[in-house]
Amino acid sequence: MQLYIDTASESDVREFATYGIIDGVTTNPSLVASEGISYRETIERLSAVTDGPVFAQVISSDADSMVTEGRAYDGWGENVVIKIPATPAGYEALTRLRADGIQAGITVLFSIPQAILAAKNDATFVAPYVGRLDDAGENGLEVVTGIQEAFDTYGFETEVLAASVRTRTQTTSLYRAGVDAITLPPATLADQFTHHKTDEGLEGFEADWGDRANPLEDN
Ligand code: E4P
């Protein structure tokens, strides 16, 4: 199971890397734009602070330009994975980039058929958007588990990367479903460390220990 952080912030990646819980970084154009530095510098910085993959999305909408962008991004780090939107031109770009041996997959994806077409094209991953499906009154979890089941049935190796995951409830359901990979924004990731009973338990231990000496000073 892979757990990614959904951010373009180098300091977020540095922080969560220290906890030992992240396998890589996903970005999107909105996240990169919010950093206020060039796309290339953002991806280079993120690649320098993680050993895992850094996902970078193409901006263009025609296949030739997407391929040109994808080839360039591929040189911006040791382990850059190209995200391509689910459009006909995107599928063409995907097949061309995969033929070059570049890691690439389909994002902004909302259905099982879109995922199957990507897997047929040897996509490295597909990124279904759970939260945005829920926002639209659909069931994001059902779409993700349907994709996972179909891939297992057909024997596709394409990774299912659940994206647009914003809550602990969504994340818990995805964990229970055994999805291949999940990307979470920093706040959602941080929330997973906590439980009110943990805080309550620690308060009790602290109160019972009182002002006794630190164990290492009490010889
Ligand atoms: C995927 O990688 C996207 O960056 C992201 O998960 C979108 O999430 P949002 O729908 O909360 O913007």
Side-chain angles (χ1 to χ4, degrees), residues 60-64 66-67 84-96:
S60 305
S61 52
D62 68 279
D64 285 347
M66 287 185 197
V67 170
I84 305 169
T87 62
Y91 287 88
E92 181 189 334
L94 173 66
T95 197
R96 289 166 60 185

Side-chain angles (χ1 to χ4, degrees), residues 70-91:
R71 287 180 181 146
Y73 294 2
D74 184 52
W76 292 352
E78 283 297 310
N79 201 355
V80 176
V81 183
I82 314 305
K83 295 172 75 180
I84 305 169
T87 62
Y91 287 88

Side-chain angles (χ1 to χ4, degrees), residues 172-190:
T172 303
S173 301
L174 291 162
Y175 288 152
R176 294 188 68 184
V179 67
D180 293 331
I182 306 178
T183 186
L184 296 171
T188 312
L189 211 41

Side-chain angles (χ1 to χ4, degrees), residues 6-7 26-31 55 57 83 107-108 127-132 135 161-166 183-185:
D6 199 27
T7 183
T26 61
T27 69
N28 64 38
S30 310
L31 293 170
F55 292 72
Q57 186 170 328
K83 295 172 75 180
T107 188
V108 206
Y129 273 30
V130 176
R132 295 191 196 188
D135 292 346
L161 164 58
S164 182
V165 181
R166 305 170 190 145
T183 186
L184 296 171

